[in-house]
Amino acid sequence: MLPSLLLFCTLLFAGFEADALTYDYTASCLENPHKPQYGGGIIINPELSHGLRGWSTFENAKIEHRVLSGGNKFIVAHSRKQPNDSISQKVYLQKDKLYTFSAWIQVSDGNAPVAAVFKTTSGQKHAGAVTAKSKCWSMLKGGLNVNVSGLAELYFESKNTSVEIWADSISLQPFTQDQWSSHQDQSIEKTRKTNVRIQAVDEQGSPISNASISILQKKLSFPFGSAINKNILTNTAYQNWFTSRFTVTTFENEMKWYTNEPVPGQENYKDADALLQFAKQHSIAVRGHTVLWEDPNYIQGWVASLSPRDLAIAVDKRINSIMSKYKGQLIAWDVVNENLHSSFFESKLGQSASASFYNRAQRIDAATTLFLNEYNTIEDNRDGLSKPDNYLRKLREIRGFPGNNNLTLGIGLQGHFSNPPNLPYIRASIDILASASLPIWITELDVANNFGEQAQAEYLEQILRELHAHPKVSGIVLWSALAPGGCYRMCLTDDNFNNLATGNVVDKLRQEWGSNSSEGTTDTNGFFEASLFHGDYKVKISHPTMTSPFLAQSFKVVSTDHRSEQTTLLLKV
Ligand SMILES: *[C@@H]1O[C@H](CO)[C@@H](O)[C@H](O)[C@H]1NC(C)=O
Ligand SMILES: *[C@@H]1O[C@H](CO)[C@@H](O)[C@H](O)[C@H]1NC(C)=O
Ligand SMILES: *[C@@H]1O[C@H](CO)[C@@H](O)[C@H](O)[C@H]1NC(C)=O
Ligand SMILES: *[C@@H]1O[C@H](CO)[C@@H](O)[C@H](O)[C@H]1NC(C)=O
Ligand SMILES: *[C@@H]1O[C@H](CO)[C@@H](O)[C@H](O)[C@H]1NC(C)=O
Ligand SMILES: *[C@@H]1O[C@H](CO)[C@@H](O)[C@H](O)[C@H]1NC(C)=O
């Protein structure tokens, strides 16, 4: 008698012991600020309900407690003459903790960027910034960690000294490393995995106990990849190393305009074609990078010297050329690269030039997600140009262009890290961006080697774990294309494809996210249960009563958005 298999896919939400203190993913200008997150954490008098208790003057501001007509109490720094004339509070920061920070900020007039800064024994640490407005409260959300324990002074800084800085609902919440990684685990269980229940029954429908079940992952759904360049085309060792690891890629330079049209009218897609062909052969998805790049340093000479009228024609031709050529064959287009830092095209063609490029792009390849691609949004919170609220402002500007209200947009965060990562800030900035409800991809992740090979690998691991665990991150691409001269900033292997410490991190995490070790036996009711990462699987069942050594069947684990939903698959064997 041959057993048949029943497979139930159901999301079970018991079984995970969440820490008492959960992480708050919300962010947003409101008439009244929200309550401070985590009750204010270690901030004294976070809602200013006890006058100025706990608060003092920083540098030479005058500070004041005020109440709005609706009863809302807050603190004000006025008569400011230098950026750091402010309010402040002393806090004790511990080196092994991760701190989330949030505050609701308003300025007295117009709008002005305001940063939250901690003056510590080892220098100023930025926790985040927001462009605060007058007449409504903006949430500044960020975080920090310190490498030395000690007293610190929190203050708010704005270069515009003619505005008063108002603050309310200030929160600084420490988390232990254990609590932090427990939030990651919790989020992974919820967003990346599904609990799968398999039942073995015989032909009469009676459960078969003690059957051996083994579940093998064939493909992970979460897109995880790395950049490549034309060198891979002639290097089989590189090809083997790459294709056994990654499911998505970006071409380092082969789809850039300066590569495709170095001389006007002489288009060259040879390398891009060959790379795309290679990727297709191995079922590797490709992000199109990049239709246009705003940085004047990467504009080829002939383009830089065009009159605005001729530039408009050349740009239109460029967009049309590359996008028609690869239409429908890519999973993403970086339409405009680094527009928050540079604006070559806007400076020549007008302020709405970028928005018009997206409009054009959509008309050519409407089915592919169109990304803005930027650096420093998650990796350096001192860079005000690409801070999350500026990113959102740019998205609104693009969407506001006539005919752009239906754009399929995506958020591309490069992730070129030069300093030890600030995980609470990474998480907070993605929370803020998530309010746009668009797919968020990490597009060019690397870590500089400033701190030695071991630290580079350690930071890479911390960043990858944080990003993969964030519920709103849809995919990650590393920026480690190998060329004979090395990599841009971070290689994963040496020239012979032996892993470096960074490559070991990548393999360790691939193994972990592959959740490869689901093996066991069915219980007395014939059930076997496992929590599996979304992906393609093969399940094998064997039992002493079976004539053949085992029966195998493939199945796919997908996310179940509705908790009560239960999918039953009958596996015909
Ligand atoms: C405040 O900023 C000024 C420069 O604007 C600087 O000289 C001073 O050291 C800063 N004060 C503190 C306490 O950091
Ligand atoms: C500073 O803010 C005031 C009030 O909004 C505004 O009038 C002024 O232009 C701002 N100054 C700078 C340098 O942005
Ligand atoms: C802490 O970080 C600062 C830079 O932010 C660095 O100069 C210092 O050496 C570090 N100290 C330790 C103990 O790592
Ligand atoms: C379960 O099966 C294994 C062999 O697959 C056997 O050694 C073991 O005794 C069985 N246990 C029970 C409780 O039937
Ligand atoms: C945008 O989408 C809405 C709803 O899906 C549709 O009614 C409208 O025609 C679309 N507009 C354009 C310009 O495609
Ligand atoms: C699964 O894990 C085993 C042992 O840890 C290992 O030998 C095997 O290569 C892994 N399989 C996959 C597909 O990763």
Side-chain angles (χ1 to χ4, degrees), residues 365-561:
D365 190 2
T368 304
T369 308
L370 307 175
F371 283 77
L372 234 77
N373 195 44
E374 259 302 344
Y375 61 90
N376 278 355
T377 307
I378 55 171
E379 56 267 48
D380 192 340
N381 64 16
R382 293 164 306 176
D383 184 344
L385 291 175
S386 55
K387 66 189 191 339
D389 66 337
N390 269 1
Y391 203 114
L392 293 174
R393 186 189 44 75
K394 190 76 202 181
L395 287 172
R396 280 194 299 272
E397 198 181 299
I398 293 170
R399 271 182 165 159
F401 186 81
N404 278 5
N405 48 336
N406 283 359
L407 283 185
T408 312
L409 283 174
I411 296 175
L413 307 173
Q414 295 184 359
H416 294 291
F417 287 84
S418 309
N419 292 303
N422 174 345
L423 300 184
Y425 183 75
I426 294 176
R427 193 180 289 184
S429 37
I430 298 173
D431 294 348
I432 298 167
L433 293 168
S435 66
S437 302
L438 297 174
I440 299 176
W441 276 65
I442 311 304
T443 55
E444 307 183 9
L445 179 60
D446 65 11
V447 178
N449 195 6
N450 306 349
F451 306 92
E453 209 184 295
Q454 279 314 316
Q456 182 187 30
E458 208 174 290
Y459 296 152
L460 177 66
E461 179 169 350
Q462 291 173 11
I463 296 164
L464 280 171
R465 285 189 185 283
E466 183 63 43
L467 294 172
H468 174 253
H470 198 291
K472 302 300 180 186
V473 171
S474 308
I476 301 176
V477 182
L478 301 163
W479 203 249
S480 37
L482 187 70
C487 308
Y488 173 61
R489 296 203 320 183
M490 180 184 83
C491 282
L492 300 175
T493 67
D494 63 17
D495 288 342
N496 299 314
F497 302 94
N498 300 308
N499 270 356
L500 300 173
T502 46
N504 286 335
V505 163
V506 166
D507 283 351
K508 179 167 81 176
L509 294 179
R510 281 181 44 255
Q511 186 87 9
E512 218 177 285
W513 302 343
S515 133
N516 158 38
S517 58
S518 283
E519 283 183 0
T521 50
T522 54
D523 65 14
T524 49
N525 297 315
F527 285 116
F528 175 72
E529 213 172 277
S531 174
L532 301 176
F533 281 95
H534 303 151
D536 297 341
Y537 289 86
K538 181 172 245 180
V539 58
K540 287 184 181 178
I541 178 170
S542 62
H543 193 269
T545 62
M546 285 165 60
T547 45
S548 50
F550 61 79
L551 297 165
Q553 193 59 260
S554 296
F555 66 102
K556 196 177 186 73
V557 178
V558 296
S559 91
T560 50
D561 291 336

Side-chain angles (χ1 to χ4, degrees), residues 107-113 134 159-163:
V107 289
S108 48
D109 200 11
N111 59 66
S134 57
K159 293 212 168 69
N160 190 331
T161 52
S162 70
V163 296

Side-chain angles (χ1 to χ4, degrees), residues 18-25 38 173 175 179 183 186 427:
D19 206 86
L21 199 56
T22 55
Y23 178 82
D24 189 338
Y25 284 98
Y38 315 109
Q173 176 63 46
F175 292 94
Q179 288 168 330
H183 300 149
Q186 203 175 331
R427 193 180 289 184

